[in-house]
Amino acid sequence: LASWLPVVGLEIHAQISSNSKLFSGSQVQFAAPPNSLVSFFDASLPGTLPVLNRRCVEAAVMTGLALNCSINKKSLFDRKHYFYADLPAGYQITQQRVPIAVNGSLSYSLCIDNKMSQMVTKTVRIKQIQLEQDSGKSLHDDARSQTLVDLNRAGVGLMEVVMEPDMCCGEEAAAAVRELQLILQTLGSSQAIMAEGQLRVDANVSVHHPGEPYGVRTEVKNINSIRFLAKAVDYEIQRQIEELENGGTILNETRAFDSRLGCTVSMRDKEGKQDYRFMPEPNLPPLILYDAKSLRANMNHQQVVNIDWIRERLPDLPSVKRAKLVELYGILPEHSFTLLNEDGLAEYFENVVKHTQMKPKKVIGWILNELLSFLKERALEVKDSPVSSFLLADLLNLLERKEISSSAAKQVFKELWKGEGKTPLEIVKEKQLELLQDQEELEQICQAVIDRQEDEVGAGMLG
């Protein structure tokens, strides 16, 4: 049976974290009452004009720099035409021809065969990052067979990150998106919360035999969780292989992932290529960016975006943070991934280390085995943990000073988890879990036991 090579490319829409929309002054806010955040421009009333939001431009530049892109000092806006109820203008303003950033790369790591101890690092090329506006939201009310339109989201700034088809399975796609999500959150350029639609992923999938040209690709649209992304991609690869081996053909179509059934379903055919009639946006001049060299003294610095100024202020990216954790605390590289993957866990770990005499390598065991499994069982975030980093540090100090045994410490941890406001020491006293330090006291206890059991002791000696 000839082997199949799957090819996966991703297009990711990240909602820019900004107070107002890309071209209007309307506020950006998740779950506001429907149509309460709509300016005349968002509703596309005649005579309204777009005004570019500087914060959105800076967020895109920052993201481009973090993803090793070349930033175009001159980029252009285009109109992409299509008709849909939630797109009042009948077109979307985007950057089709000359986007703000191009030719980047993203390195991500994944485990081989579920063993955290073997991690491999891969790189996916970033074709481009473009600025564009989001559309509104259509709410389909099947009961009344009508569609309601909410324009709160219309015009919200998006960065579209286009990745080259450098991946080959769901796990790789998921790892790349998770790393991108961490980078965006570290930069603050997008909150990237998938459940709130701030990060939406479209996956292009095809399969072919080695040495042959790429197969026909399908697009799986709007995947809204990293777990579903891995499932959708793997399902689609399997589906295409089975289809081709049974003599069928793959249609160039758009599909959706049904998370309940765990499969992709056909949405619409893409064979008749939709003509978006791209044209330059007549109401926006080219977007010009500057760097330290091209910035002239007489320019108003409030009015221009300086690429070098943004570059100097980039925070430590996740990869650098992980390397620092490994170097500072002597922990395993794979543990540094877990620490960064859970929001707030790295800070929690560092706090515990700061306030305890225990070696960081031992602390990490407690954090991964006890704290994390308790949080996961109850689907809690680190910030909601009833056991604060200070309480855990207190507990580990008792253990480190050999005042309690390791199994007693686990018992105390369970008690702390109830969140009754007791300190580890109070729980130890209450439950009498102390280890005895005093040699004489220990001998007295043993002697008392022997004295009370004279018959058994005698019988034992005779035996």
Side-chain angles (χ1 to χ4, degrees), residues 131-143:
L131 278 168
E132 59 187 36
Q133 15 161 222
D134 209 343
S135 58
K137 213 170 183 174
S138 293
L139 307 158
H140 304 292
D141 181 344
D142 293 335

Side-chain angles (χ1 to χ4, degrees), residues 282-307:
N283 296 324
L284 285 165
L287 169 57
I288 308 290
L289 305 176
Y290 296 86
D291 58 15
K293 284 200 290 289
S294 60
L295 202 59
R296 292 192 299 280
N298 59 357
M299 284 180 171
N300 179 349
H301 290 240
Q302 260 59 57
Q303 292 295 315
V304 297
V305 171
N306 178 345
I307 301 166

Side-chain angles (χ1 to χ4, degrees), residues 164-213:
E164 297 283 8
D166 293 343
M167 291 159 283
C168 67
C169 64
E171 201 188 352
E172 287 188 6
V177 170
R178 178 64 185 126
E179 189 66 10
L180 176 65
Q181 186 180 38
L182 276 176
I183 290 171
L184 294 171
Q185 289 168 343
T186 303
L187 296 171
S189 59
S190 169
Q191 292 174 338
I193 304 165
M194 293 188 91
E196 294 186 7
Q198 292 163 356
L199 200 68
R200 311 196 281 278
V201 183
D202 303 339
N204 291 304
V205 179
S206 70
V207 299
H208 64 281
H209 287 305
E212 290 181 4

Side-chain angles (χ1 to χ4, degrees), residues 8-10 12 106-111 122 124 163 166-182 194 199 201-203 223 225-234 237 337 341:
V8 182
L10 302 176
I12 297 144
L106 168 71
S107 292
Y108 61 95
S109 298
L110 67 163
C111 332
K122 303 202 162 191
V124 52
M163 294 183 177
D166 293 343
M167 291 159 283
C168 67
C169 64
E171 201 188 352
E172 287 188 6
V177 170
R178 178 64 185 126
E179 189 66 10
L180 176 65
Q181 186 180 38
L182 276 176
M194 293 188 91
L199 200 68
V201 183
D202 303 339
I223 305 165
S225 99
I226 287 177
R227 209 165 39 101
F228 292 160
L229 170 62
K231 287 192 165 143
V233 167
D234 287 338
I237 289 169
F337 275 86
N341 274 344

Side-chain angles (χ1 to χ4, degrees), residues 275-289:
D275 179 13
Y276 290 119
R277 303 195 321 283
F278 283 104
M279 61 173 268
E281 166 55 62
N283 296 324
L284 285 165
L287 169 57
I288 308 290
L289 305 176

Side-chain angles (χ1 to χ4, degrees), residues 428-444:
V428 167
K429 293 232 180 319
E430 195 179 292
K431 299 234 179 285
Q432 297 181 335
L433 296 167
E434 302 101 324
L435 278 178
L436 289 166
Q437 302 287 4
D438 186 342
Q439 185 81 23
E440 258 179 65
E441 194 185 346
L442 199 56
E443 281 174 13
Q444 283 170 359

Side-chain angles (χ1 to χ4, degrees), residues 116-358:
M116 274 306 277
S117 54
Q118 277 186 295
M119 302 209 63
V120 16
T121 300
K122 303 202 162 191
T123 301
V124 52
R125 289 168 299 152
I126 308 268
K127 184 177 180 217
Q128 65 188 58
I129 299 176
Q130 62 201 46
L131 278 168
E132 59 187 36
Q133 15 161 222
D134 209 343
S135 58
K137 213 170 183 174
S138 293
L139 307 158
H140 304 292
D141 181 344
D142 293 335
R144 302 190 193 154
S145 61
Q146 63 181 19
T147 294
L148 304 167
V149 175
D150 177 7
L151 292 181
N152 281 348
R153 206 179 65 187
V156 167
L158 297 178
M159 294 176 283
E160 181 178 354
V161 179
V162 183
M163 294 183 177
E164 297 283 8
D166 293 343
M167 291 159 283
C168 67
C169 64
E171 201 188 352
E172 287 188 6
V177 170
R178 178 64 185 126
E179 189 66 10
L180 176 65
Q181 186 180 38
L182 276 176
I183 290 171
L184 294 171
Q185 289 168 343
T186 303
L187 296 171
S189 59
S190 169
Q191 292 174 338
I193 304 165
M194 293 188 91
E196 294 186 7
Q198 292 163 356
L199 200 68
R200 311 196 281 278
V201 183
D202 303 339
N204 291 304
V205 179
S206 70
V207 299
H208 64 281
H209 287 305
E212 290 181 4
Y214 283 3
V216 175
R217 68 174 193 197
T218 59
E219 181 180 31
V220 187
K221 289 287 275 191
N222 283 339
I223 305 165
N224 62 0
S225 99
I226 287 177
R227 209 165 39 101
F228 292 160
L229 170 62
K231 287 192 165 143
V233 167
D234 287 338
Y235 175 87
E236 190 54 24
I237 289 169
Q238 233 16 70
R239 184 192 71 83
Q240 291 187 15
I241 291 173
E242 282 168 22
E243 183 73 44
L244 292 167
E245 288 190 343
N246 293 330
T249 52
I250 302 300
L251 298 175
N252 177 219
E253 61 180 350
T254 301
R255 299 177 71 87
F257 179 65
D258 184 322
S259 54
R260 283 195 317 276
L261 301 173
C263 64
T264 62
V265 289
S266 181
M267 277 166 63
R268 55 180 183 269
D269 174 20
K270 287 183 95 163
E271 293 291 343
K273 179 112 170 61
Q274 190 166 0
D275 179 13
Y276 290 119
R277 303 195 321 283
F278 283 104
M279 61 173 268
E281 166 55 62
N283 296 324
L284 285 165
L287 169 57
I288 308 290
L289 305 176
Y290 296 86
D291 58 15
K293 284 200 290 289
S294 60
L295 202 59
R296 292 192 299 280
N298 59 357
M299 284 180 171
N300 179 349
H301 290 240
Q302 260 59 57
Q303 292 295 315
V304 297
V305 171
N306 178 345
I307 301 166
D308 288 332
W309 190 85
I310 293 174
R311 186 182 276 116
E312 283 158 23
R313 281 158 185 74
L314 283 181
D316 275 353
L317 292 179
S319 53
V320 176
K321 279 193 202 161
R322 285 191 283 255
K324 282 188 176 173
L325 287 169
V326 170
E327 194 183 338
L328 259 173
Y329 302 109
I331 60 175
L332 295 168
E334 52 272 21
H335 292 162
S336 71
F337 275 86
T338 314
L339 285 181
L340 279 198
N341 274 344
E342 302 296 325
D343 199 22
L345 194 59
E347 292 79 19
Y348 188 103
F349 165 72
E350 293 200 271
N351 269 339
V352 176
V353 171
K354 217 181 293 170
H355 295 99
T356 169
Q357 286 92 50
M358 187 180 268

